[in-house]
Amino acid sequence: DTGVSQDPRHKITKRGQNVTFRCDPISEHNRLYWYRQTLGQGPEFLTYFQNEAQLEKSRLLSDRFSAERPKGSFSTLEIQRTEQGDSAMYLCASSLVVSGATQNTQYFGPGTRLTVL
Amino acid sequence: AQKVTQAQTEISVVEKEDVTLDCVYETRDTTYYLFWYKQPPSGELVFLIRRNSFDEQNEISGRYSWNFQKSTSSFNFTITASQVVDSAVYFCALTRDYKLSFGAGTTVTVRA
């Protein structure tokens, strides 16, 4: 069973540039989540999808951030006009939630480490 | 609001010592789920255990054991006979449904 994969693993960019990250969830998982983790802290929830529908966005997700999951499989997270404060690890997770259940275990990918110069 | 507190920032032990990681949580929900994840230096969060609020049985898995006490809102994690490979950051997390709320993590260093 292939786990969650993320690409790229590392990204260095200059302030003001746009960046896009990709996440491929575990196949057949219907939920996909994005989290952000800064140094010395636990991950913080950004947004999640149920199939292709984006169901919630955190207040942490400013207008410069956009996420998509167009066919209910892989997802992309784009940051426009990056700022130094965007430097962090961006983690993707996926889970399989069956009808009637509210929660299942989230499995995480290796993350994309973003450095904004 | 949900909150997870891991009061221990760093723990350093010598190999074969036992180490216990504390986790205290706050929630107003009656149904919730608790998790422990391990984050080795490679960065990937590795799932260790999931517990729902109705299951207070302690669990043992190899050298790992977990003590869930609803009365004190705690979900502590013990590594018995620690090994160098246990060196990592360990996170406790809480959720009602889809959003995991993580503690700040405890860095465990096991010295040979």
Side-chain angles (χ1 to χ4, degrees), chain B residues 6 21 23 35-37 47-49 66 75 77 90-92:
Chain B
Q6 294 180 255
L21 310 180
C23 172
F35 298 80
W36 276 95
Y37 286 87
F47 165 72
L48 296 178
I49 190 171
W66 291 270
F75 186 40
F77 172 31
Y90 291 85
F91 291 97
C92 181

Side-chain angles (χ1 to χ4, degrees), chain A residues 25-39:
Chain A
I26 294 171
S27 58
E28 91 264 2
H29 277 193
N30 51 7
R31 281 195 182 172
L32 186 147
Y33 314 78
W34 285 98
Y35 290 81
R36 182 171 67 187
Q37 184 180 20
T38 53
L39 205 59

Side-chain angles (χ1 to χ4, degrees), chain A residues 6-18:
Chain A
Q6 293 187 244
D7 184 68
R9 295 291 307 276
H10 302 273
K11 178 70 177 179
I12 300 174
T13 190
K14 293 182 179 179
R15 189 175 49 153
Q17 298 293 305
N18 299 342

Side-chain angles (χ1 to χ4, degrees), chain B residues 33-50:
Chain B
Y33 302 83
L34 294 161
F35 298 80
W36 276 95
Y37 286 87
K38 173 183 179 180
Q39 189 173 43
S42 60
E44 182 169 349
L45 279 165
V46 177
F47 165 72
L48 296 178
I49 190 171
R50 167 177 175 245

